Amino acid sequence: QVHLVESGGGTVHSGGSLRLSCKAPGDRLGSYCMAWFRQAAGKEREGVAAINKRATILKYAPSVEGRFTIVRDATKETVDLQMDSLKPEDTAMYYCAARPCDFWSLSATLEPRAFDYWGQGTQVTVSS
């Protein structure tokens, strides 16, 4: 069992930036393939960004491509989501998720059913 904790959410104006962080106290996120998802009120959960274990494969939803960046911080043992040029439609609860994967895995999926462990989420609100 992996306990994931997200942080960094908040309220920003349109065009602003936020950096979300996901960590697993007592565990090493480097052991998992990771992803960020979001769920807006009344909508289904959608994948935002994914990264493989070696951080060689990144995958983004078309709606955030070029604005969001997923990155592993080996020093802090976190997986961060840098969000720039935020739009009101980015408003949602953001979740990080983890799944066991091989070291040589070249897969970075945004399919929620592929992930075994989920955090409680952090709210991001973008005002116009």
Side-chain angles (χ1 to χ4, degrees):
Q1 186 73 20
V2 179
H3 177 56
L4 300 175
V5 180
E6 302 97 335
S7 62
T11 300
V12 295
H13 290 297
S14 181
S17 297
L18 281 174
R19 188 176 181 96
L20 306 183
S21 188
C22 176
K23 65 188 306 179
D27 210 323
R28 296 185 67 250
L29 289 184
S31 301
Y32 303 91
C33 286
M34 302 293 297
W36 282 93
F37 293 81
R38 67 185 181 187
Q39 187 166 17
K43 295 187 177 181
E44 293 187 356
R45 188 168 297 190
E46 65 168 336
V48 174
I51 188 168
N52 69 336
K53 187 175 285 190
R54 293 182 292 142
T56 56
I57 304 296
L58 309 178
K59 186 171 185 177
Y60 297 95
S63 58
V64 306
E65 185 89 48
R67 299 188 298 121
F68 290 12
T69 304
I70 187 170
V71 60
R72 288 188 182 272
D73 188 321
T75 301
K76 296 188 298 182
E77 273 290 332
T78 62
V79 175
D80 297 346
L81 184 68
Q82 177 65 41
M83 304 186 296
D84 299 316
S85 302
L86 282 162
K87 305 174 181 179
E89 51 263 45
D90 294 318
T91 294
M93 184 72 78
Y94 283 72
Y95 301 89
C96 73
R99 63 183 182 93
C101 63
D102 294 333
F103 180 77
W104 299 105
S105 173
L106 296 179
S107 172
T109 180
L110 293 176
E111 172 55 56
R113 292 174 295 180
F115 290 83
D116 298 309
Y117 309 109
W118 294 81
Q120 293 298 305
T122 185
Q123 178 67 37
V124 171
T125 302
V126 184
S127 60
S128 57

